[in-house]
Every structure is written in structure tokens, then in C-alpha cells.
Amino acid sequence: MPSWNIHTAHVERLLREEGAAALGVRDKNAFLLGNLAPDIYVGYMVLDTTFRIDYKLTHHASREHIPLPRYDEFWSFYIAGHRSVSDVTLGAWAHLVADHVYNAHTRAYLTSIGVEAGERARIGKQGDFALFGRTLDISLVPHVDDALLAQCAAFPPYSILERDLHGAVASAQRIVEKNQAEHLAEVPDYQLLTAEFFDVASEEAHATIVAGLKSRL
């Protein structure tokens, strides 16, 4: 559910507050791209890709209302026990953590206020996530270089092709520019969710990513 502005904001906070070295991140550019990678072939964020991969495969999730990506499964497959793990792979894991945490909180919150799955929930939560994303001050955009191309080609779940990598970077650039142009300095008037909701979910996602990355050191 979090869009790329939210994922980018998490990366910027991780690098700002923890630092790349403390998290075991060697290539910040590759880590940033990794935090976008699971969405590249789904068909929403990058429209004209060479091929498509179903969300349930890229996110290790069941196809259901507000899915919960199994980031622990991704960790077991591609990170645990591996001597060398690319920063794209670490970033992709962090993406799944954020998606899981925000979606789990959304499920619980909608249940607590008596809103069932349906159009009201879909429209309300999407609108609120869009508003929250606009409150975030972001500037980082990945760039294509030889190191990133190599990591994307060797990404364990599936290769990310050069053509599609350029498409993803272009999409990320547009999102950052749009966020800067439409930035909200005040707390938005949310439809279903609340500012406190986003504070809690954001803190949990950040803490879970930090703990996981530091556990490898």
C-alpha cells in the first residue's frame, strides 16, 4: 500500500538517523532502488515493462484485501545464511517490511472503526495514504550505474532488466518531483486514517527494518 514516496522517505530516514555503515549498507544507491524493486514488474508504478510478475510473487503475499507481504519468508530465501547479500536485495526486504507493517495497521484500524472491506475502505485508505505521502520531504532518486546494473541482473528472485531499470528510475524521479511540488506542510484532513496512525505505523516499520539489518552485522 505505501507508494514510492513513502518508501523513499523511509530510506532517507534510515540513512540520516542510522547511517549506511551501521545498517550494513555498502551502496546507498542500490539500497534505494531495492526499496522500490518489488513494485517494478507489478504494473502500477512502472507501466511499460518488458514483462509482468504478479504481486503475490513479487511481494510473497496472498491476493486479498490489504495483503500482508511475508517479509520473513523473503529473508529466509534470499538473506539468511548467505555470505554475500546485495544492497538491492536488502532494500527489497525493507520494502516488504514497510508494506506489511502499514497494511497490518490499516487492517487493524479499519476493523477498530467498523469499516469493512469495500469501496469506502479502498477509496478512503488510498486517499489518506496519498495525503500522507505528500507530507514527506524527499529528494533521493536512484541513478543507473554499472554497480546497480550488476546487482539488478543478479537480483535473486528475478533479473531486473536494464530497460526496466531505466523506467523505474524515471518513475521515481517523477514521484519525487511531484512530491516536492505538491508538498503539504500542514497535517492533512484524512478521511479514514489519522496522523497518529501514520506516526505509529511509520515508527514500527522503521524499527523493524533497523533491527533486521543490524542483526546481520
Side-chain angles (χ1 to χ4, degrees), residues 7 17 22 56 84 89 128 184 191 214:
H7 288 294
E17 295 186 4
K56 65 179 182 290
S84 179
T89 303
D128 286 349
L184 295 174
Q191 299 177 59
K214 287 188 173 182

Side-chain angles (χ1 to χ4, degrees), residues 59-81:
H59 286 69
H60 292 251
S62 301
R63 177 65 73 174
E64 56 186 328
H65 178 66
I66 313 182
L68 298 178
R70 296 184 293 274
Y71 63 87
D72 52 343
E73 184 175 277
F74 183 95
W75 182 280
S76 296
F77 286 169
Y78 305 117
I79 298 176

Side-chain angles (χ1 to χ4, degrees), residues 161-212:
L161 304 183
E162 181 174 357
R163 173 181 179 274
D164 303 323
L165 177 58
H166 281 283
V169 168
S171 293
Q173 178 72 52
R174 287 192 295 270
I175 288 168
V176 169
E177 290 174 354
K178 181 178 175 63
N179 236 59
Q180 292 173 344
E182 300 179 359
H183 180 70
L184 295 174
E186 305 293 332
V187 176
D189 184 14
Y190 294 116
Q191 299 177 59
L192 290 177
L193 307 173
T194 66
E196 181 182 9
F197 165 89
F198 286 110
D199 286 343
V200 171
S202 177
E203 287 300 322
E204 182 176 327
H206 178 79
T208 304
I209 294 168
V210 169

Side-chain angles (χ1 to χ4, degrees), residues 88-109:
V88 166
T89 303
L90 294 178
W93 172 80
H95 175 110
L96 299 188
V97 171
D99 278 8
H100 178 104
V101 171
Y102 280 95
N103 285 6
H105 277 274
T106 301
R107 279 189 178 189
Y109 184 81

Side-chain angles (χ1 to χ4, degrees), residues 122-191:
R122 184 185 68 80
I123 294 172
K125 63 184 174 58
Q126 287 182 351
D128 286 349
F129 269 83
L131 287 172
F132 170 65
R134 290 170 57 193
T135 69
L136 303 172
D137 185 11
I138 58 174
S139 61
L140 287 183
V141 177
H143 61 271
V144 179
D145 57 21
D146 289 342
L148 183 58
L149 286 168
Q151 288 197 34
C152 286
F155 184 49
Y158 44 85
S159 291
I160 300 171
L161 304 183
E162 181 174 357
R163 173 181 179 274
D164 303 323
L165 177 58
H166 281 283
V169 168
S171 293
Q173 178 72 52
R174 287 192 295 270
I175 288 168
V176 169
E177 290 174 354
K178 181 178 175 63
N179 236 59
Q180 292 173 344
E182 300 179 359
H183 180 70
L184 295 174
E186 305 293 332
V187 176
D189 184 14
Y190 294 116
Q191 299 177 59

